[in-house]
Amino acid sequence: MEVTLLGSVYGLSPFSLQRVCNAGFSSFKSNTRRQTYRVTAINPVEYLKTHGGARRIRKNEDGAAVAKMVESPYSKVETASPDLHKSLSDFLEEARDFVGDDDGPPRWFSPLECSSQAQGSPLLLFIPGIDGTGLGLVRHHKKLGEVFDVWCLHIPDSDRTPAKDLVNIIERTVRSENHRFPNRPIYLVGESIGACLALDVAARNPNIDLALILANPGDSLTARLDALTNELAVHQMSGVSGGMLRDLFAVSANLPDTLLWKLELLKSAVASANSHIYAVRAETLILLSGRDQWLLNEEDINRYSRTLPKCIVRKLKGNGHFLFFEEGVDLVTIIKCTCFYRRGKSHDHLSDYIMPTRYELKQQLDNHKLQIGATTSPVYLSTLEDGKIVRGLEGIPSEGPVLFVGYHMLLGLELIPMISQILKERNIHLRGLAHPMLFLDGQDVCVDPQIFDKFKLIGGVPVSKFSIYKLLSSKSHVLLYPGGIREAFHKKGEEYKLFWPEQPEFVRVASKFGAKIVPFGVVGEDDICHFVLDSDDQRNIPFLKDFMEEATRQAGNVREGDETELGNQKCYLPVILPKIPGRLYFYFGKPIETAGKGKELKDKDKAQEFYLQVKSEVEQCIEYLKMKRESDPYRHLLPRMMYQASHGGSSEIPTFDL
């Protein structure tokens, strides 16, 4: 692994342009067995973002505009490999270069794997746990480095700097970087000891814009580490975490002495953090192990969540104590799903959004297949400018602004396949306007917030007039469901029925920016699931009624003042049973132009007429699909399975004649 040395915390300034040469940096020397460390400067490059449209317009030599097709980077998402490739063994190999004859004071370094961040990326300071190497995020370096300026604190194996002085070291760096970039947030990421040090720094600097990510902080770990003071106890530990802990300390030259010192350091750090925790004003994300004999006391976590003013707790149920080394834990993905990434004073759902990686998108598709059946084989139809209906998404406009308006299927079952297919086939990213309840992430939320992660990962934005205005003004492709949760939480017998408000809410803002409106319909929910209990049924069951009332209260009302049923919609979880999966059908109608109609649509009657036209188009799309699917020979599962068995699992399954 190659690193950039940012300077000794006692000697060179962390932001000094001066670099230490290899000859004077004995702690990073290597032999033929070890990897080479090169001290060099970081050259930031622009973080690659995906822009909408598979067709790009450019000018040739004579100035004429020509269209150029660009393959979507998501086109082969099914074959995507995991974003994180390194493992605990890689950490152990690289950690050997940091110990042994390592001496000197604690110091910051930046791995060259983290050198591709975009301009304006926030600073991330990693404060290590009991190993002290600073390599605790080694699995995450490359991915973190695309969106953060990553510095890691290395505490040499022989160093005995007490906790209060480590806090001073970190604080000095935080203050100097805040002075240089006062409008840039600083992230402190710590585990165990590092988490306590981060809390202490935040408590001492309430006026600096800090964001804390703490992995397994708490008091009870100190009691559990007491067992480690006996070297025999280390060898008697069983399970994944026990083995990992033995491996972590195996890189230390003097295990008993190091272990005793780390235990005392942790006790001191915990005591100091607890005495100052009420002064912390930073927003905090706590990551809690859900499975391990070393599991931290949840009472400590609950105390943190009640004490810290802006705290999100994520319990990772399938993981042990050493979270950052475990398979299935991707720190960047967690940050995306909690909307915890920001470049300014607060998170902006538009400018701070990070596109999903190919593997993240693959995971969402795989999860969706498990939920509704792996063989729904969706059919996508679109309409060309001349009115011709074609299979595929060729009829969707490449250049924004575009507003997609359509029917919201039960529980939003259509969202993941629809947004993913548009991204795969056309390289167009659809930003969906979502109910604010999907972005609740507190401890008192009556449902697990993680069930809404997929909507945030694929680009959901809390619905508001400001959001749709800003999205269309930036020429985005925007997804709007006028029926909202009334359609997504509809009752028995209401499938494919539109529940739109009477007022033409989106018409004027679309015409202001000349957005094209794409009406669409989707059918198939009645072939996927059977409705068991709707809101009317649940009102007659006391505990479900109480749950529904509490969920409605927490969700809030985005149509405040609306006296119709849309303004009094109850939030609940429909009880459904899966069927042998049928097929989903999507039909995108002919785009409707609003360019040049801004003045005309300011007239209330004209706007209402236009609104009803769009609604009628959506209803026609739904009726077309309901009629045509009756003639689809592959609507049911068995014919589709037989077709793929004879033509290959990746072959496109035919459908009805267009």
Side-chain angles (χ1 to χ4, degrees):
M1 185 187 75
E2 296 177 329
V3 299
T4 298
L5 180 64
L6 298 175
S8 166
V9 292
Y10 290 123
L12 296 176
S13 165
F15 51 87
S16 171
L17 295 178
Q18 182 179 2
R19 300 290 174 181
V20 181
C21 64
N22 286 332
F25 189 43
S26 60
S27 62
F28 284 92
K29 69 181 182 179
S30 60
N31 56 31
T32 57
R33 181 183 61 82
R34 296 178 179 174
Q35 299 178 3
T36 301
Y37 290 81
R38 183 176 64 194
V39 179
T40 182
I42 289 179
N43 295 317
V45 298
E46 287 294 329
Y47 180 60
L48 298 179
K49 294 185 177 180
T50 304
H51 299 278
R55 181 170 298 176
R56 300 287 182 260
I57 305 298
R58 62 177 177 83
K59 291 185 177 181
N60 58 19
E61 295 180 356
D62 60 5
V66 296
K68 179 182 179 181
M69 296 303 295
V70 180
E71 182 181 6
S72 169
Y74 295 93
S75 59
K76 296 180 175 60
V77 69
E78 291 82 2
T79 61
S81 58
D83 297 322
L84 308 182
H85 302 286
K86 290 191 175 182
S87 64
L88 178 63
S89 60
D90 295 297
F91 162 80
L92 295 172
E93 180 65 26
E94 296 179 13
R96 291 188 177 94
D97 292 316
F98 284 74
V99 297
D101 55 354
D102 183 17
D103 54 14
R107 48 195 170 268
W108 298 100
F109 69 93
S110 182
L112 288 186
E113 289 177 298
C114 302
S115 64
S116 61
Q117 74 274 5
Q119 289 183 346
S121 295
L123 176 65
L124 186 149
L125 301 178
F126 174 65
I127 309 169
I130 54 178
D131 63 286
T133 61
L135 293 173
L137 294 178
V138 67
R139 295 188 69 243
H140 310 263
H141 280 167
K142 189 176 187 303
K143 197 170 179 182
L144 280 171
E146 294 175 342
V147 292
F148 287 103
D149 180 8
V150 181
W151 297 12
C152 305
L153 181 63
H154 171 61
I155 305 173
D157 186 47
S158 59
D159 181 77
R160 294 296 181 264
T161 302
K164 64 178 182 178
D165 290 339
L166 290 174
V167 170
N168 290 335
I169 290 169
I170 301 165
E171 181 180 48
R172 199 154 53 236
T173 302
V174 165
R175 290 182 175 180
S176 65
E177 288 302 303
N178 179 68
H179 178 74
R180 295 178 66 217
F181 304 103
N183 297 320
R184 181 178 75 166
I186 298 176
Y187 283 71
L188 301 182
V189 179
E191 56 177 343
S192 60
I193 297 173
C196 298
L197 297 176
L199 280 169
D200 226 354
V201 171
R204 293 168 53 157
N205 296 273
N207 296 323
I208 294 180
D209 187 10
L210 298 175
L212 310 183
I213 301 177
L214 312 178
N216 291 326
D219 298 336
S220 58
L221 185 59
T222 57
R224 301 180 186 221
L225 276 177
D226 282 333
L228 294 181
T229 56
N230 185 333
E231 186 176 0
L232 180 61
V234 177
H235 294 287
Q236 290 177 338
M237 285 185 297
S238 61
V240 175
S241 292
M244 293 175 93
L245 196 64
R246 290 196 302 273
D247 290 338
L248 288 174
F249 280 107
V251 300
S252 295
N254 188 345
L255 176 61
D257 180 62
T258 299
L259 198 54
L260 287 170
W261 170 251
K262 296 294 184 182
L263 177 59
E264 292 304 316
L265 183 63
L266 177 59
K267 288 180 178 180
S268 176
V270 167
S272 181
N274 284 337
S275 65
H276 299 130
I277 191 171
Y278 292 96
V280 175
R281 295 294 176 266
E283 58 179 340
T284 308
L285 172 60
I286 294 179
L287 306 180
L288 176 63
S289 298
R291 173 197 52 79
D292 191 28
Q293 62 178 333
W294 289 72
L295 178 64
L296 298 178
N297 191 334
E298 290 197 42
E299 292 182 3
D300 299 332
I301 303 303
N302 292 333
R303 178 169 55 85
Y304 282 143
S305 65
R306 291 191 302 267
T307 304
L308 299 172
K310 294 173 285 187
C311 182
I312 300 172
V313 177
R314 278 295 170 105
K315 187 173 182 179
L316 308 180
K317 298 177 181 178
N319 299 99
H321 182 72
F322 297 98
L323 291 175
F324 296 139
F325 291 124
E326 297 205 12
E327 295 291 336
V329 177
D330 186 326
L331 183 55
V332 173
T333 301
I334 293 172
I335 291 172
K336 292 179 183 180
C337 291
T338 51
C339 299
F340 206 71
Y341 183 76
R342 58 186 175 89
R343 299 179 180 89
K345 294 296 183 182
S346 60
H347 176 77
D348 187 312
H349 288 279
L350 278 64
S351 61
D352 288 330
Y353 174 70
I354 306 171
M355 289 287 293
T357 64
R358 294 172 67 247
Y359 185 69
E360 287 171 342
L361 187 62
K362 177 182 183 297
Q363 285 181 307
Q364 296 306 315
L365 287 170
D366 291 345
N367 291 339
H368 189 265
K369 290 176 181 177
L370 289 175
Q371 292 171 0
I372 67 170
T375 53
T376 53
S377 306
V379 175
Y380 297 92
L381 309 176
S382 62
T383 310
L384 303 180
E385 292 182 359
D386 60 4
K388 181 181 179 181
I389 301 175
V390 296
R391 186 167 186 185
L393 302 174
E394 185 181 352
I396 291 178
S398 296
E399 304 300 324
V402 180
L403 182 63
F404 291 74
V405 181
Y407 168 70
H408 210 356
M409 190 177 281
L410 182 67
L411 296 175
L413 293 174
E414 81 285 359
L415 276 169
I416 296 297
M418 180 175 71
I419 292 178
S420 300
Q421 186 65 25
I422 293 175
L423 194 55
K424 288 164 54 181
E425 186 175 332
R426 294 299 310 278
N427 197 21
I428 294 173
H429 185 218
L430 204 54
R431 301 299 303 271
L433 293 165
H435 195 286
M437 70 176 178
L438 303 186
F439 301 88
L440 297 176
D441 220 330
Q443 281 288 88
D444 299 326
V445 179
C446 57
V447 296
D448 185 353
Q450 296 185 58
I451 67 175
F452 301 131
D453 283 356
K454 57 186 176 183
F455 302 116
K456 290 175 274 190
L457 190 65
I458 62 175
V461 180
V463 63
S464 69
K465 293 180 180 179
F466 174 77
S467 294
I468 189 171
Y469 185 96
K470 194 170 181 181
L471 283 166
L472 292 178
S473 66
S474 62
K475 300 186 182 302
S476 299
H477 289 69
V478 185
L479 174 61
L480 174 67
Y481 293 107
I485 62 172
R486 178 61 183 88
E487 289 175 3
F489 292 159
H490 66 68
K491 303 174 185 178
K492 295 176 182 177
E494 292 181 342
E495 58 270 11
Y496 312 130
K497 182 179 179 181
L498 299 185
F499 292 92
W500 287 22
E502 296 179 0
Q503 300 301 319
E505 298 176 331
F506 60 83
V507 171
R508 290 181 182 176
V509 67
S511 63
K512 179 177 178 62
F513 298 103
K516 295 180 179 179
I517 296 178
V518 178
F520 72 92
V522 53
V523 303
E525 68 174 73
D526 51 342
D527 281 346
I528 293 175
C529 58
H530 173 69
F531 221 139
V532 179
L533 296 176
D534 63 11
S535 59
D536 290 340
D537 298 319
Q538 295 187 26
R539 283 192 181 95
N540 298 320
I541 304 174
F543 76 92
L544 290 179
K545 179 182 178 181
D546 293 341
F547 175 86
M548 184 164 56
E549 295 296 333
E550 178 61 20
T552 301
R553 184 192 66 80
Q554 291 184 3
N557 189 353
V558 296
R559 299 187 185 276
E560 197 72 43
D562 189 338
E563 298 300 327
T564 68
E565 63 175 337
L566 295 180
N568 296 282
Q569 170 64 29
K570 297 295 184 182
C571 292
Y572 77 108
L573 292 178
V575 179
I576 58 177
L577 291 176
K579 292 182 178 180
I580 297 175
R583 203 170 192 185
L584 291 179
Y585 300 86
F586 298 82
Y587 174 31
F588 298 90
K590 183 178 179 180
I592 303 172
E593 295 281 356
T594 66
K597 297 182 179 180
K599 186 175 181 180
E600 175 187 350
L601 293 176
K602 286 182 179 179
D603 181 85
K604 188 175 182 179
D605 293 335
K606 293 289 186 182
Q608 185 68 22
E609 181 183 344
F610 187 89
Y611 177 73
L612 294 176
Q613 176 194 348
V614 175
K615 183 178 180 181
S616 176
E617 291 285 345
V618 173
E619 291 173 331
Q620 290 178 39
C621 290
I622 294 173
E623 290 304 316
Y624 175 85
L625 291 175
K626 289 171 65 177
M627 177 187 67
K628 295 294 288 186
R629 71 173 176 173
E630 297 295 334
S631 61
D632 184 2
Y634 299 99
R635 177 180 175 181
H636 302 293
L637 178 61
L638 183 58
R640 295 200 302 273
M641 294 179 64
M642 294 176 64
Y643 183 89
Q644 288 190 321
S646 59
H647 292 80
S650 61
S651 58
E652 183 179 62
I653 300 175
T655 185
F656 49 76
D657 294 331
L658 301 178

